[in-house]
Amino acid sequence: MVEVLGGILGGVGLLFFGMWLLSENLKAVVGPRLRMLASKLADNRFSGFAWGTLAGAITQSSPAVTFITISMLRSGLISARQAYPIALGAQMGVGLILFIVTVDIRLAAMFGIGVGGVLITRFSRGNYREAGAMLFGVAALLFGLVLIKESAAPLSEQPWFRAGLDISAGSILLSFIVGALLTFIVQALVPVVAFGIGLAAAGLVGTEQVLMYVYGSYVGLAISVMVVSYGLSGTARQLGMFWACQVIFSAAILVTLLYVEVYGNVPLVKALVTWPDIGLGPQMALAVIIFGMPSRIVVLSAPDWTMRLFSRIWPASIAEQQSRPQYIHDQAMDDVETALDLTHLEQRRVLGMFSGYLEQAREGQPAGAIREWAREVNARIDEFLDELGRQRPGQSSERRNQVLSRQKLITWLEEQFSTIPEALVGLPEDDLTLDAFRMSVVEGTDAAFLIFLDALEEDDPDGWAFVEQLMGDRRVMMQDVRGRYLALTPQDAGDQQRIIEEATNAVENIFFLLAQLTRDFKESGSGAAVADEA
């Protein structure tokens, strides 16, 4: 029993590790062209559903496809709107493959681990290493599912497992409960359904009991996905919960129809499944295909309504909202001027994030997640501008160069802002002199930066002239602050002197960079106009 629990725990660990490795390396290699390719492959709900069906047929596991889709969603390769149909189609693909051939995903996982490991260790540059890491992540995810299934397989040989199936033979409701419970334990739908088919072939249970095993088994898998999704956040949890809830929704509909059919003598799903004389196994494969039909009808016919419902219950996390661009998008590259206007708005949004660094410093906290958000958006702006230059060379080149120069200033400015909370967090809290220094640095920088943001919002020449004058005065003032507080610090307090120098140097650089940005915005004079157009 210890080996069984160890194997299941190891499989869960591989599952989470594979999801993390896949999503992190997708972030490293994803770019506008890759996102555009993914968008074309899943440009509407029906093509996304088709790709999900294919992935489900290959992996033989709709939860596996759902977890891979979650990794793609977290990396920004696809949107939540595109992810829903993919996860939905995976369920149908599992039933389709039962008609054709059984694929050994363990063998595929082993090949993926081998090839991915070679690429990771033998290539140190280019995208080969990241591609190998993504392959290794997918293989680890699949192998984790295989390990869970194989580690739990001995449970199906236990007397209590067989006793559970025997008990359920006399009641279709018990068949549903036992199917859900046993599938949740062994983490595999096929063994439970196979036992049900074997009992039906021996004349111990009827077709309706086997159908209930199928429905209950999917609910058992849904509960497992819910458990895994509980450890996720934002749209990743939203997608996992979507898959689980749509399974439960389909089960509720089909269980009700089966009761009506059995006790009301109305030919419905059971009659449809048993109508073709193709044998009990293929008939159950047909039942698996039909299982998700209620959810498919609802989701594919009303995708916006479904997405709004789940996003309201499990909304995107603050980190996702902040770290994803709100203005630039790949389709905007069709028109250079529009793309540059949207880039300007995105740059203004990034500048607005920098106040969060000062708030962290005010509270004595490190930069934290704000740095990840700002740098993620900055990276997306950089690749957006690079791709714009490749797709539209020579068009509005002077303005694009101006925006590129501004982007470099904003990137350097973010580095200086992030230095302030990281440096000040090392100051002791019980020293009045150092508390005064912290207050001087944070409040002085914040006041000047707020004036800069106001001028950026208004885009008035007089306002820019005032900001330009203010930045020069403040820079000289910060030099005086540094000299005064260094003189008050004991000579043997090397760490405190280092912190004072780092913080004041960062603030001095901030005023210098803000002065450069002020001249840039003052000369371009496009802030308010672009905002009004947007």
Side-chain angles (χ1 to χ4, degrees):
M1 194 65 182
V2 174
E3 293 181 358
V4 172
L5 293 177
I8 293 174
L9 181 60
V12 171
L14 282 174
L15 176 64
F16 277 106
F17 173 72
M19 290 173 58
W20 174 83
L21 191 63
L22 178 60
S23 61
E24 289 300 312
N25 284 276
L26 274 170
K27 290 179 182 179
V29 302
V30 68
R33 282 175 287 184
L34 186 56
R35 280 196 302 273
M36 292 173 71
L37 176 61
S39 297
K40 289 180 180 178
L41 293 177
D43 59 350
N44 61 67
R45 55 188 182 273
F46 299 107
S47 60
F49 179 82
W51 280 107
T53 301
L54 178 61
I58 294 172
T59 64
Q60 291 188 80
S61 174
S62 49
V65 177
T66 301
F67 294 137
I68 293 172
T69 307
I70 286 173
S71 298
M72 297 171 65
L73 178 64
R74 294 170 69 180
S75 67
L77 188 59
I78 59 174
S79 65
R81 182 185 297 273
Q82 295 167 323
Y84 276 41
I86 295 175
L88 192 67
Q91 197 176 82
M92 185 171 179
V94 174
L96 285 175
I97 199 64
L98 294 177
F99 278 115
I100 307 170
V101 67
T102 299
V103 179
D104 187 359
I105 63 171
R106 177 190 177 93
L107 184 61
M110 296 297 288
F111 272 107
I113 289 175
V115 176
V118 170
L119 291 175
I120 293 172
T121 55
R122 296 301 178 185
F123 292 90
S124 59
R125 61 183 60 185
N127 291 333
Y128 292 104
R129 191 170 188 175
E130 286 79 8
M134 288 188 293
L135 178 60
F136 194 94
V138 173
L141 189 155
L142 295 177
F143 192 73
L145 292 171
V146 171
L147 187 59
I148 293 172
K149 181 175 68 175
E150 292 185 351
S151 298
L155 295 176
S156 62
E157 302 296 329
Q158 297 295 318
W160 57 266
F161 184 92
R162 296 178 178 273
L165 289 173
D166 292 337
I167 292 173
S168 66
S171 168
I172 60 174
L173 179 59
L174 278 177
S175 299
F176 177 86
I177 296 173
V178 169
L181 180 61
L182 295 180
T183 303
F184 178 77
I185 294 173
V186 302
Q187 289 295 298
L189 179 143
V190 175
V192 178
V193 176
F195 269 109
I197 293 174
L199 292 175
L204 300 176
V205 297
T207 305
E208 58 271 14
Q209 273 88 7
V210 184
L211 287 173
M212 278 297 201
Y213 289 144
V214 173
Y215 303 159
S217 295
Y218 263 113
V219 171
L221 289 179
I223 296 173
S224 300
V225 172
M226 280 184 170
V227 172
V228 174
S229 299
Y230 185 78
L232 304 175
S233 62
T235 51
R237 176 187 288 185
Q238 180 189 130
L239 182 59
M241 291 299 183
F242 160 76
W243 189 89
C245 290
Q246 62 89 16
V247 165
I248 294 173
F249 173 76
S250 291
I253 298 294
L254 292 172
V255 167
T256 302
L257 292 177
L258 186 59
Y259 264 93
V260 172
E261 187 169 9
V262 171
Y263 296 104
N265 295 319
V266 180
L268 295 170
V269 179
K270 177 186 172 183
L272 177 62
V273 170
T274 57
W275 171 65
D277 187 14
I278 54 179
L280 189 58
Q283 287 174 346
M284 291 305 103
L286 181 60
V288 172
I289 295 175
I290 294 175
F291 173 79
M293 195 60 68
S295 298
R296 294 170 204 144
I297 294 173
V298 173
V299 176
L300 295 179
S301 61
D304 293 336
W305 178 87
T306 306
M307 186 172 176
R308 283 196 300 268
L309 174 63
F310 281 89
S311 61
R312 188 178 300 115
I313 302 174
W314 294 286
S317 64
I318 296 176
E320 289 178 313
Q321 296 174 5
Q322 293 293 330
S323 62
R324 291 181 179 175
Q326 294 184 1
Y327 297 102
I328 59 174
H329 53 89
D330 300 327
Q331 290 73 22
M333 295 181 190
D334 294 337
D335 183 83
V336 176
E337 291 298 324
T338 300
L340 295 175
D341 288 344
L342 295 176
T343 304
H344 175 84
L345 292 174
E346 203 70 68
Q347 289 175 332
R348 285 180 52 179
R349 175 173 168 258
V350 173
L351 286 169
M353 292 183 185
F354 297 167
S355 294
Y357 286 122
L358 300 176
E359 185 62 31
Q360 292 291 100
R362 189 178 287 116
E363 296 177 358
Q365 301 294 325
I370 298 174
R371 179 164 52 190
E372 297 179 10
W373 304 342
R375 293 184 179 180
E376 177 67 22
V377 179
N378 267 336
R380 292 289 295 273
I381 294 174
D382 288 339
E383 69 178 27
F384 180 82
L385 291 173
D386 289 343
E387 186 66 19
L388 183 64
R390 282 193 291 267
Q391 291 192 18
R392 299 289 184 271
Q395 297 184 25
S396 301
S397 57
E398 289 301 323
R399 187 184 173 197
R400 191 177 72 86
N401 289 335
Q402 184 182 38
V403 175
L404 278 170
S405 299
R406 183 187 305 161
Q407 181 61 22
K408 292 179 181 178
L409 291 174
I410 293 173
T411 301
W412 295 335
L413 184 64
E414 185 277 328
E415 294 176 357
Q416 302 306 313
F417 265 101
S418 67
T419 300
I420 295 178
E422 294 295 329
L424 295 181
V425 74
L427 289 177
E429 298 181 358
D430 55 351
D431 191 312
L432 295 178
T433 300
L434 295 178
D435 283 343
F437 170 74
R438 180 187 289 108
M439 182 73 68
S440 175
V441 167
V442 174
E443 300 306 331
T445 307
D446 194 27
F449 187 58
L450 288 176
I451 293 173
F452 170 83
L453 292 179
D454 288 340
L456 182 61
E457 182 71 24
E458 298 297 331
D459 197 24
D460 179 70
D462 294 335
W464 285 125
F466 175 69
V467 173
E468 192 172 18
Q469 181 181 5
L470 178 67
M471 294 306 157
D473 294 341
R474 290 281 180 166
R475 190 180 177 200
V476 173
M477 183 184 298
M478 189 49 58
Q479 294 174 351
D480 295 337
V481 169
R482 178 168 56 245
R484 184 170 69 254
Y485 280 99
L486 283 175
L488 295 174
T489 305
Q491 293 296 323
D492 58 348
D495 289 341
Q496 295 180 12
Q497 291 181 347
R498 176 184 55 79
I499 291 172
I500 291 173
E501 289 181 354
E502 286 183 1
T504 52
N505 285 337
V507 174
E508 187 175 342
N509 291 333
I510 285 173
F511 287 124
F512 172 76
L513 292 169
L514 286 177
Q516 300 296 318
L517 283 170
T518 298
R519 284 192 288 271
D520 181 88
F521 283 119
K522 181 180 178 181
E523 292 173 1
S524 63
S526 59
V530 172
D532 290 341
E533 289 181 12

